[in-house]
Coordinates of all heavy atoms in Angstrom, one line a residue:
M91 N 103.1 61.9 240.6 CA 103.8 63.0 241.1 C 104.8 62.5 242.2 O 104.4 61.6 243.0 CB 102.8 64.0 241.7 CG 103.3 64.8 242.9 SD 102.0 65.9 243.7 CE 100.6 65.9 242.7
N92 N 106.1 62.9 242.1 CA 107.1 62.5 242.9 C 107.1 63.5 244.1 O 107.6 64.6 243.9 CB 108.5 62.3 242.3 CG 109.5 61.8 243.2 OD1 109.5 62.0 244.3 ND2 110.4 61.0 242.6
L93 N 106.7 63.1 245.3 CA 106.6 64.1 246.4 C 108.0 64.5 246.9 O 108.2 65.6 247.4 CB 105.8 63.5 247.5 CG 104.3 63.2 247.2 CD1 103.6 62.7 248.4 CD2 103.6 64.5 246.7
L94 N 109.0 63.6 246.8 CA 110.3 64.0 247.2 C 110.9 65.1 246.3 O 111.6 66.0 246.9 CB 111.2 62.7 247.2 CG 110.8 61.6 248.1 CD1 111.8 60.5 247.9 CD2 110.8 62.0 249.6
E95 N 110.5 65.1 245.1 CA 111.0 66.2 244.2 C 110.3 67.5 244.4 O 110.8 68.5 244.1 CB 110.9 65.7 242.7 CG 111.8 64.6 242.3 CD 111.6 64.1 240.9 OE1 110.6 64.7 240.2 OE2 112.3 63.3 240.5
K96 N 109.1 67.5 245.1 CA 108.4 68.6 245.4 C 108.9 69.4 246.6 O 108.4 70.5 246.9 CB 106.9 68.4 245.5 CG 106.3 68.0 244.1 CD 104.8 68.4 244.1 CE 104.3 68.5 242.8 NZ 104.5 69.8 242.1
A97 N 109.7 68.8 247.4 CA 110.2 69.3 248.6 C 110.9 70.6 248.4 O 111.6 70.7 247.4 CB 111.1 68.4 249.4
R98 N 110.6 71.7 249.2 CA 111.2 73.0 249.1 C 111.7 73.5 250.5 O 110.9 74.1 251.2 CB 110.2 74.0 248.6 CG 109.7 73.7 247.1 CD 110.8 73.8 246.2 NE 110.3 73.5 244.8 CZ 110.6 72.3 244.2 NH1 111.3 71.4 244.7 NH2 110.1 72.1 243.0
Y99 N 113.0 73.0 250.8 CA 113.5 73.4 252.1 C 114.1 74.8 252.0 O 114.7 75.2 251.0 CB 114.5 72.4 252.4 CG 114.0 71.0 252.6 CD1 114.2 70.0 251.6 CD2 113.3 70.6 253.8 CE1 113.6 68.7 251.7 CE2 112.8 69.4 253.9 CZ 113.0 68.4 252.9 OH 112.5 67.1 253.0
G100 N 114.0 75.5 253.1 CA 114.6 76.9 253.2 C 114.6 77.4 254.6 O 114.2 76.7 255.5
A101 N 115.0 78.6 254.8 CA 115.0 79.4 256.0 C 113.6 79.4 256.6 O 113.4 79.5 257.8 CB 115.6 80.7 255.9
V102 N 112.6 79.5 255.8 CA 111.2 79.4 256.1 C 110.6 78.1 255.7 O 110.9 77.6 254.6 CB 110.4 80.7 255.5 CG1 108.9 80.5 255.8 CG2 110.9 81.9 255.8
R103 N 109.9 77.5 256.6 CA 109.3 76.1 256.2 C 108.6 76.2 254.9 O 107.9 77.1 254.5 CB 108.4 75.6 257.3 CG 107.1 76.4 257.4 CD 106.2 75.8 258.5 NE 104.9 76.5 258.4 CZ 104.3 77.0 259.4 NH1 104.8 77.0 260.6 NH2 103.2 77.6 259.2
G104 N 108.7 75.1 254.1 CA 108.0 75.0 252.8 C 106.7 74.5 253.0 O 106.5 73.5 253.7
V105 N 105.7 75.1 252.4 CA 104.2 74.6 252.5 C 103.7 74.6 251.0 O 103.7 75.7 250.4 CB 103.4 75.4 253.4 CG1 101.9 75.0 253.3 CG2 103.9 75.5 254.7
E106 N 103.3 73.5 250.5 CA 102.7 73.4 249.2 C 101.4 72.6 249.2 O 101.3 71.5 249.6 CB 103.7 72.7 248.1 CG 103.1 72.8 246.7 CD 104.2 72.3 245.7 OE1 105.3 72.1 246.1 OE2 103.7 72.1 244.7
L107 N 100.4 73.4 248.7 CA 99.1 72.8 248.5 C 99.1 71.9 247.3 O 99.2 72.4 246.1 CB 98.0 73.9 248.4 CG 96.5 73.4 248.3 CD1 96.1 72.6 249.6 CD2 95.6 74.6 248.1
L108 N 98.9 70.6 247.4 CA 99.0 69.7 246.3 C 97.6 69.3 245.7 O 97.5 69.1 244.5 CB 99.6 68.3 246.7 CG 101.1 68.4 247.3 CD1 101.5 67.1 247.8 CD2 102.0 68.9 246.2
A109 N 96.6 69.4 246.5 CA 95.2 69.0 246.1 C 94.2 69.7 247.1 O 94.5 69.7 248.3 CB 95.0 67.6 246.0
D110 N 93.1 70.2 246.5 CA 92.1 70.9 247.4 C 90.8 70.6 246.8 O 90.3 71.3 245.9 CB 92.4 72.4 247.4 CG 91.7 73.1 248.6 OD1 91.2 72.4 249.5 OD2 91.5 74.3 248.5
H111 N 90.2 69.6 247.3 CA 88.8 69.1 246.8 C 87.9 69.1 248.0 O 88.4 69.0 249.2 CB 88.9 67.8 246.1 CG 89.9 67.7 245.1 ND1 89.7 68.3 243.8 CD2 91.2 67.2 245.0 CE1 90.7 68.1 243.0 NE2 91.6 67.4 243.8
A112 N 86.6 69.1 247.9 CA 85.6 68.9 249.0 C 86.0 67.7 249.8 O 85.8 67.8 251.0 CB 84.2 68.9 248.4
E113 N 86.4 66.6 249.2 CA 86.6 65.4 250.0 C 88.0 65.3 250.6 O 88.1 64.6 251.7 CB 86.6 64.1 249.0 CG 85.3 64.0 248.3 CD 85.2 64.9 247.0 OE1 86.3 65.3 246.5 OE2 84.1 65.1 246.4
V114 N 89.0 66.0 250.2 CA 90.3 65.9 250.7 C 91.2 67.1 250.4 O 91.1 67.7 249.2 CB 91.0 64.7 250.3 CG1 91.3 64.6 248.7 CG2 92.3 64.3 251.1
R115 N 92.1 67.5 251.3 CA 93.1 68.5 251.0 C 94.4 67.8 251.3 O 94.6 67.2 252.3 CB 92.9 69.7 251.9 CG 94.0 70.7 251.7 CD 93.7 72.0 252.6 NE 92.7 72.7 252.1 CZ 92.0 73.8 252.6 NH1 92.4 74.1 253.9 NH2 91.1 74.4 252.0
L116 N 95.5 68.0 250.4 CA 96.8 67.4 250.6 C 97.7 68.6 250.6 O 97.7 69.4 249.7 CB 97.1 66.5 249.4 CG 96.2 65.3 249.1 CD1 96.7 64.5 247.9 CD2 96.2 64.4 250.3
V117 N 98.5 68.6 251.7 CA 99.5 69.7 251.9 C 100.8 69.0 252.1 O 101.0 68.1 253.1 CB 99.1 70.6 253.0 CG1 100.0 71.7 253.1 CG2 97.6 71.1 252.9
L118 N 101.9 69.5 251.5 CA 103.3 69.1 251.7 C 104.0 70.0 252.5 O 104.1 71.2 252.2 CB 103.9 68.8 250.4 CG 105.3 68.1 250.4 CD1 105.1 66.6 251.0 CD2 105.9 68.0 249.0
F119 N 104.6 69.6 253.6 CA 105.4 70.4 254.5 C 106.9 70.0 254.4 O 107.2 68.9 254.7 CB 105.0 70.3 256.0 CG 103.5 70.7 256.1 CD1 102.5 69.8 256.3 CD2 103.2 72.1 256.3 CE1 101.2 70.1 256.4 CE2 101.8 72.4 256.5 CZ 100.8 71.4 256.5
S120 N 107.7 71.0 254.1 CA 109.2 70.7 254.0 C 109.8 71.5 255.2 O 109.8 72.7 255.1 CB 109.7 71.3 252.7 OG 109.0 70.7 251.6
L121 N 110.2 70.7 256.2 CA 110.8 71.3 257.4 C 112.2 71.1 257.5 O 112.7 69.9 257.3 CB 110.0 70.7 258.6 CG 108.5 70.8 258.6 CD1 107.9 70.1 259.7 CD2 108.0 72.2 258.5
Q122 N 113.0 72.1 258.0 CA 114.4 71.9 258.4 C 114.5 71.9 259.9 O 113.5 72.2 260.6 CB 115.2 73.0 257.7 CG 115.2 73.0 256.2 CD 116.4 73.6 255.6 OE1 117.4 72.9 255.3 NE2 116.4 74.9 255.6
E123 N 115.7 71.4 260.3 CA 115.9 71.4 261.7 C 115.3 72.5 262.6 O 115.5 73.7 262.4 CB 117.4 71.3 262.0 CG 117.8 70.9 263.4 CD 119.3 70.7 263.5 OE1 119.9 70.2 262.6 OE2 119.8 70.8 264.7
G124 N 114.5 72.1 263.6 CA 113.8 73.1 264.5 C 112.5 73.7 263.9 O 111.8 74.3 264.7
Q125 N 112.3 73.6 262.6 CA 111.0 74.2 262.1 C 109.9 73.2 262.4 O 110.0 72.0 262.7 CB 111.1 74.3 260.5 CG 112.1 75.3 260.1 CD 112.2 75.4 258.7 OE1 111.9 74.5 257.9 NE2 112.8 76.5 258.2
E126 N 108.7 73.9 262.6 CA 107.5 73.2 263.0 C 106.2 73.7 262.2 O 106.2 74.8 261.8 CB 107.4 73.5 264.6 CG 106.2 72.8 265.2 CD 106.2 73.0 266.7 OE1 106.4 74.1 267.2 OE2 105.9 72.0 267.4
V127 N 105.3 72.8 262.3 CA 103.9 73.2 261.8 C 102.9 72.7 262.7 O 103.1 71.7 263.3 CB 103.7 72.6 260.3 CG1 103.7 71.1 260.3 CG2 102.5 73.2 259.7
K128 N 101.9 73.6 263.0 CA 100.8 73.2 263.9 C 99.5 73.2 263.3 O 99.2 74.3 262.4 CB 100.8 74.1 265.1 CG 102.1 74.0 265.9 CD 102.0 75.0 267.1 CE 103.3 75.0 267.9 NZ 103.3 75.9 269.0
G129 N 98.6 72.3 263.5 CA 97.2 72.3 263.0 C 96.4 73.1 263.8 O 96.5 73.3 265.1
R130 N 95.2 73.6 263.3 CA 94.3 74.4 264.0 C 93.0 73.7 264.4 O 92.0 74.4 264.6 CB 94.0 75.7 263.1 CG 95.2 76.5 262.9 CD 94.9 77.8 262.1 NE 94.2 77.4 260.8 CZ 94.7 77.3 259.6 NH1 96.0 77.5 259.6 NH2 94.1 77.0 258.6
G131 N 93.0 72.4 264.4 CA 91.8 71.7 264.7 C 90.9 71.4 263.6 O 89.7 71.5 263.7
E132 N 91.5 71.1 262.4 CA 90.7 70.7 261.2 C 89.9 69.5 261.5 O 90.0 68.8 262.5 CB 91.6 70.6 260.0 CG 92.3 71.8 259.6 CD 93.6 72.1 260.3 OE1 93.9 71.4 261.2 OE2 94.2 73.1 259.9
P133 N 89.1 69.0 260.4 CA 88.5 67.7 260.4 C 89.7 66.7 260.6 O 90.8 67.1 260.8 CB 87.8 67.6 259.1 CG 87.6 69.0 258.7 CD 88.7 69.8 259.2
R134 N 89.3 65.4 260.4 CA 90.3 64.3 260.6 C 91.5 64.6 259.7 O 91.4 65.0 258.6 CB 89.8 63.0 260.2 CG 90.7 61.8 260.5 CD 90.0 60.6 260.5 NE 89.3 60.5 261.8 CZ 88.0 60.3 262.0 NH1 87.2 60.3 261.0 NH2 87.4 60.2 263.2
V135 N 92.8 64.5 260.4 CA 94.0 64.8 259.8 C 95.0 63.6 259.9 O 95.0 63.0 261.0 CB 94.7 66.1 260.4 CG1 96.0 66.2 259.7 CG2 93.9 67.3 260.2
F136 N 95.6 63.2 258.8 CA 96.6 62.2 258.8 C 98.0 62.9 258.5 O 98.0 63.7 257.5 CB 96.3 61.1 257.8 CG 95.1 60.4 258.0 CD1 93.8 60.8 257.4 CD2 95.0 59.2 258.8 CE1 92.7 60.2 257.7 CE2 93.8 58.5 259.0 CZ 92.6 59.1 258.4
L137 N 99.0 62.6 259.3 CA 100.3 63.1 259.0 C 101.2 61.9 258.6 O 101.3 61.0 259.4 CB 100.8 63.8 260.2 CG 100.1 65.1 260.7 CD1 100.6 65.6 262.0 CD2 100.1 66.2 259.6
L138 N 101.8 62.0 257.4 CA 102.7 60.9 257.0 C 104.1 61.5 256.7 O 104.3 62.3 255.9 CB 102.1 60.4 255.7 CG 102.9 59.3 255.0 CD1 103.1 58.1 255.8 CD2 102.3 58.9 253.6
A139 N 105.0 60.9 257.4 CA 106.5 61.3 257.3 C 106.9 60.6 256.0 O 106.8 59.4 255.8 CB 107.2 60.8 258.4
L140 N 107.5 61.4 255.1 CA 108.0 60.9 253.8 C 109.5 60.8 253.8 O 110.1 60.0 253.1 CB 107.5 61.7 252.6 CG 106.0 61.9 252.5 CD1 105.7 63.0 251.5 CD2 105.5 60.6 252.2
E141 N 110.2 61.7 254.5 CA 111.7 61.8 254.3 C 112.3 62.4 255.7 O 111.6 63.3 256.2 CB 112.1 62.6 253.2 CG 113.6 62.8 252.9 CD 113.8 63.6 251.7 OE1 113.4 64.8 251.6 OE2 114.5 63.1 250.8
G142 N 113.4 62.0 256.1 CA 114.1 62.6 257.3 C 113.5 62.0 258.5 O 112.9 61.0 258.6
Q143 N 113.8 62.8 259.6 CA 113.2 62.4 260.9 C 112.8 63.6 261.7 O 113.2 64.7 261.5 CB 114.3 61.6 261.6 CG 115.6 62.3 261.9 CD 115.5 63.1 263.3 OE1 114.8 62.7 264.2 NE2 116.3 64.1 263.4
G144 N 111.8 63.3 262.6 CA 111.3 64.4 263.5 C 110.3 63.8 264.4 O 110.3 62.6 264.8
V145 N 109.3 64.7 264.8 CA 108.2 64.2 265.7 C 106.9 64.6 265.1 O 106.7 65.7 264.6 CB 108.4 65.0 267.1 CG1 107.2 64.7 268.0 CG2 109.7 64.6 267.7
L146 N 105.9 63.7 265.2 CA 104.5 63.9 264.8 C 103.8 63.9 266.1 O 104.0 63.0 266.9 CB 104.0 62.9 263.8 CG 104.8 62.7 262.5 CD1 104.1 61.5 261.7 CD2 104.7 64.0 261.7
W147 N 102.8 64.8 266.3 CA 102.0 64.8 267.4 C 100.6 65.2 267.2 O 100.2 65.8 266.3 CB 102.6 65.8 268.5 CG 102.7 67.2 268.1 CD1 103.8 67.8 267.5 CD2 101.8 68.2 268.3 NE1 103.5 69.1 267.2 CE2 102.3 69.4 267.7 CE3 100.5 68.2 268.8 CZ2 101.6 70.6 267.7 CZ3 99.7 69.5 268.9 CH2 100.3 70.6 268.2
A148 N 99.7 64.7 268.0 CA 98.3 64.9 268.0 C 97.7 64.7 269.4 O 97.9 63.8 270.1 CB 97.6 63.9 267.1
G149 N 97.2 65.9 269.9 CA 96.7 65.9 271.3 C 97.9 65.6 272.2 O 98.9 66.3 272.2
E150 N 97.7 64.7 273.1 CA 98.8 64.2 274.0 C 99.7 63.2 273.5 O 100.7 62.8 274.1 CB 98.1 63.7 275.4 CG 97.3 64.8 276.0 CD 98.0 66.0 276.5 OE1 99.1 65.8 277.0 OE2 97.5 67.1 276.3
R151 N 99.4 62.7 272.3 CA 100.2 61.6 271.7 C 101.4 62.3 270.8 O 101.2 63.2 270.2 CB 99.4 60.7 270.8 CG 98.3 60.0 271.5 CD 97.5 59.2 270.6 NE 97.2 59.7 269.2 CZ 96.2 60.6 268.9 NH1 95.4 61.0 269.8 NH2 96.0 60.9 267.7
S152 N 102.5 61.6 270.9 CA 103.7 62.0 270.2 C 104.5 60.8 269.8 O 104.6 59.9 270.5 CB 104.6 62.9 271.2 OG 105.8 63.2 270.6
L153 N 104.9 60.9 268.5 CA 105.7 59.8 267.9 C 107.1 60.3 267.3 O 107.0 61.3 266.6 CB 104.9 59.2 266.7 CG 103.7 58.2 267.0 CD1 103.1 57.8 265.6 CD2 104.2 57.1 267.8
D154 N 108.1 59.6 267.7 CA 109.4 59.9 266.8 C 109.1 59.3 265.5 O 108.6 58.1 265.4 CB 110.5 59.2 267.6 CG 110.9 59.9 268.9 OD1 110.7 61.1 269.0 OD2 111.4 59.1 269.7
A155 N 109.3 60.0 264.5 CA 108.9 59.7 263.1 C 110.1 59.7 262.2 O 111.0 60.5 262.2 CB 107.9 60.6 262.6
Q156 N 110.0 58.8 261.2 CA 110.9 58.7 260.1 C 110.0 58.3 258.9 O 108.8 58.0 259.0 CB 111.9 57.7 260.4 CG 111.5 56.3 260.6 CD 112.6 55.3 261.1 OE1 113.7 55.7 261.3 NE2 112.2 54.1 261.3
A157 N 110.6 58.2 257.7 CA 109.8 57.9 256.5 C 108.9 56.6 256.8 O 109.5 55.6 257.3 CB 110.7 57.5 255.4
G158 N 107.7 56.7 256.5 CA 106.7 55.7 256.7 C 105.8 55.8 257.9 O 104.9 55.1 258.1
T159 N 106.2 56.7 258.8 CA 105.4 56.8 260.1 C 104.1 57.6 259.8 O 104.1 58.7 259.1 CB 106.2 57.5 261.2 OG1 107.4 56.9 261.4 CG2 105.4 57.7 262.5
L160 N 103.0 57.1 260.3 CA 101.7 57.7 260.0 C 100.9 58.0 261.4 O 101.0 57.1 262.2 CB 100.8 56.8 259.2 CG 99.4 57.3 258.9 CD1 99.3 58.6 258.0 CD2 98.6 56.2 258.3
L161 N 100.5 59.2 261.6 CA 99.7 59.5 262.8 C 98.4 60.1 262.4 O 98.4 61.0 261.4 CB 100.5 60.5 263.6 CG 99.9 60.9 264.9 CD1 99.7 59.8 265.9 CD2 100.7 62.1 265.6
M162 N 97.3 59.8 263.0 CA 96.0 60.3 262.8 C 95.6 61.2 264.0 O 95.7 60.9 265.1 CB 94.9 59.2 262.6 CG 93.6 59.8 262.2 SD 92.3 58.6 262.2 CE 92.1 58.2 263.9
A163 N 95.1 62.5 263.7 CA 94.5 63.3 264.6 C 93.0 63.3 264.4 O 92.5 63.4 263.2 CB 95.1 64.8 264.4
E164 N 92.3 63.2 265.4 CA 90.8 63.2 265.5 C 90.3 64.6 265.2 O 91.0 65.6 265.3 CB 90.2 62.7 266.8 CG 90.5 61.3 267.1 CD 89.8 60.4 266.2 OE1 88.8 60.7 265.6 OE2 90.2 59.2 266.2
P165 N 89.1 64.8 264.6 CA 88.5 66.1 264.3 C 88.6 67.0 265.5 O 88.3 66.6 266.6 CB 87.0 65.8 264.0 CG 87.0 64.4 263.5 CD 88.1 63.7 264.2
G166 N 89.3 68.2 265.2 CA 89.3 69.2 266.2 C 90.5 69.1 267.1 O 90.8 69.9 268.0
E167 N 91.3 68.0 267.0 CA 92.4 67.8 267.9 C 93.7 68.5 267.5 O 94.0 68.4 266.3 CB 92.7 66.2 267.9 CG 93.8 65.8 269.0 CD 93.9 64.3 269.0 OE1 93.9 63.6 267.9 OE2 94.2 63.7 270.1
P168 N 94.3 69.2 268.3 CA 95.6 70.0 267.9 C 96.6 68.9 267.4 O 96.6 67.7 268.0 CB 96.0 70.6 269.2 CG 94.8 70.7 270.1 CD 94.0 69.5 269.7
H169 N 97.4 69.2 266.5 CA 98.3 68.4 265.9 C 99.5 69.1 265.2 O 99.4 70.4 265.0 CB 97.6 67.4 264.8 CG 97.0 68.2 263.8 ND1 95.7 68.7 264.0 CD2 97.3 68.6 262.5 CE1 95.3 69.4 262.9 NE2 96.4 69.4 262.0
G170 N 100.5 68.4 264.8 CA 101.6 69.0 264.1 C 102.8 68.1 263.9 O 102.8 66.9 264.2
A171 N 103.9 68.8 263.4 CA 105.1 68.1 263.1 C 106.3 69.0 263.4 O 106.2 70.2 263.2 CB 105.1 67.7 261.6
R172 N 107.3 68.4 263.8 CA 108.5 69.2 264.1 C 109.8 68.4 263.6 O 109.9 67.2 263.9 CB 108.7 69.4 265.6 CG 109.9 70.3 266.0 CD 109.9 70.6 267.5 NE 109.6 69.5 268.4 CZ 108.6 69.1 269.0 NH1 107.4 69.8 268.9 NH2 108.6 68.0 269.8
A173 N 110.6 69.1 262.9 CA 111.8 68.5 262.3 C 112.8 68.2 263.4 O 113.0 69.1 264.4 CB 112.4 69.4 261.2
G174 N 113.5 67.1 263.4 CA 114.6 66.7 264.2 C 115.9 67.4 263.6 O 115.9 68.4 263.1
Q175 N 116.9 66.5 263.6 CA 118.2 67.0 262.9 C 118.0 66.8 261.4 O 117.4 65.8 260.9 CB 119.4 66.1 263.4 CG 119.6 66.4 264.9 CD 120.8 65.6 265.3 OE1 121.2 64.5 264.7 NE2 121.4 65.9 266.4
G176 N 118.4 67.8 260.7 CA 118.3 67.7 259.2 C 116.8 68.1 258.7 O 116.2 68.8 259.3
R177 N 116.5 67.5 257.7 CA 115.2 67.8 256.9 C 114.2 66.8 257.3 O 114.4 65.6 257.6 CB 115.4 67.8 255.4 CG 116.5 68.8 255.0 CD 116.7 68.7 253.6 NE 117.4 69.8 253.0 CZ 117.8 70.0 251.7 NH1 117.5 69.1 250.9 NH2 118.4 71.1 251.4
F178 N 112.9 67.2 257.2 CA 111.7 66.4 257.5 C 110.6 66.8 256.6 O 110.2 67.9 256.6 CB 111.4 66.6 259.0 CG 110.4 65.6 259.6 CD1 110.4 64.3 259.2 CD2 109.4 66.1 260.4 CE1 109.5 63.4 259.9 CE2 108.5 65.2 261.0 CZ 108.5 63.9 260.8
L179 N 110.2 65.8 255.8 CA 109.2 66.0 254.8 C 107.9 65.3 255.2 O 107.9 64.0 255.5 CB 109.6 65.5 253.4 CG 108.7 65.8 252.3 CD1 108.6 67.3 252.0 CD2 109.2 65.1 250.9
V180 N 106.7 66.0 255.3 CA 105.5 65.5 255.9 C 104.4 65.8 255.0 O 104.3 67.0 254.6 CB 105.3 66.0 257.3 CG1 103.9 65.6 257.9 CG2 106.4 65.7 258.3
L181 N 103.6 64.7 254.6 CA 102.4 65.0 254.0 C 101.2 65.0 254.8 O 101.0 64.2 255.7 CB 102.2 63.8 252.9 CG 100.8 63.9 252.1 CD1 100.9 65.1 251.2 CD2 100.7 62.6 251.3
G182 N 100.4 66.2 254.8 CA 99.2 66.3 255.6 C 98.0 66.0 254.8 O 97.9 66.5 253.6
I183 N 97.2 65.1 255.2 CA 96.0 64.6 254.5 C 94.8 65.0 255.4 O 94.6 64.5 256.5 CB 96.0 63.1 254.3 CG1 97.3 62.7 253.6 CG2 94.7 62.7 253.5 CD1 97.6 61.3 253.6
I184 N 94.0 66.0 254.9 CA 92.8 66.5 255.7 C 91.6 66.0 255.0 O 91.4 66.3 253.9 CB 92.9 68.0 255.7 CG1 94.2 68.4 256.2 CG2 91.8 68.6 256.6 CD1 94.6 69.8 256.1
A185 N 90.7 65.2 255.7 CA 89.5 64.7 255.1 C 88.3 64.8 256.1 O 88.5 64.3 257.2 CB 89.7 63.3 254.6
P186 N 87.2 65.4 255.6 CA 87.1 66.2 254.5 C 87.8 67.6 254.7 O 88.2 68.0 255.8 CB 85.6 66.4 254.4 CG 85.1 66.4 255.8 CD 86.0 65.4 256.5
R187 N 88.0 68.3 253.6 CA 88.7 69.5 253.7 C 87.8 70.5 254.5 O 86.6 70.5 254.5 CB 88.9 70.1 252.2 CG 88.6 71.5 252.0 CD 89.0 71.9 250.6 NE 87.9 72.0 249.6 CZ 87.0 72.9 249.5 NH1 87.1 73.9 250.4 NH2 86.0 72.9 248.6
P188 N 88.5 71.4 255.3 CA 87.8 72.3 256.1 C 87.0 73.4 255.3 O 87.4 73.7 254.2 CB 88.8 73.0 257.0 CG 90.1 72.6 256.4 CD 89.9 71.4 255.4

């Protein structure tokens, strides 16, 4: 599966559930400038920037992110992603699935 081709940018952030198994949930977030997604304290979460630039955050930690940046949030830790200028494609990997 080509994740770049699955991106769905628009006036409302794009959210696509790619896989949902007991062991892992994969969610693709297509964000445009200023759009944000926030986690609700799921089990361990990994946020992987795939395209564009923005910010990934978990708890008090924040990273300027571009393609290839990975950030891990501990179980129950607030986390999220915010697009910078232009588009920002982020893969959320939640393990195990909530």
Side-chain angles (χ1 to χ4, degrees):
M91 149 183 351
N92 184 326
L93 297 179
L94 299 179
E95 290 177 359
K96 290 211 161 271
R98 298 292 177 256
Y99 298 104
V102 176
R103 69 176 186 233
V105 178
E106 183 170 351
L107 182 62
L108 301 175
D110 196 20
H111 305 284
E113 300 83 16
V114 67
R115 177 179 286 168
L116 302 175
V117 185
L118 189 64
F119 299 101
S120 305
L121 307 173
Q122 295 205 98
E123 188 170 336
Q125 292 177 339
E126 183 175 42
V127 62
K128 295 179 182 180
R130 299 181 304 264
E132 294 86 356
R134 184 161 285 119
V135 174
F136 299 87
L137 298 172
L138 176 61
L140 300 173
E141 179 178 60
Q143 61 89 26
V145 174
L146 300 177
W147 59 271
E150 299 297 317
R151 301 179 321 278
S152 175
L153 285 177
D154 289 330
Q156 59 189 4
T159 302
L160 177 68
L161 179 67
M162 182 185 75
E164 293 293 340
E167 186 174 40
H169 56 277
R172 181 175 51 258
Q175 295 180 339
R177 296 174 168 179
F178 191 38
L179 187 64
V180 177
L181 178 64
I183 305 162
I184 304 165
R187 139 173 96 78

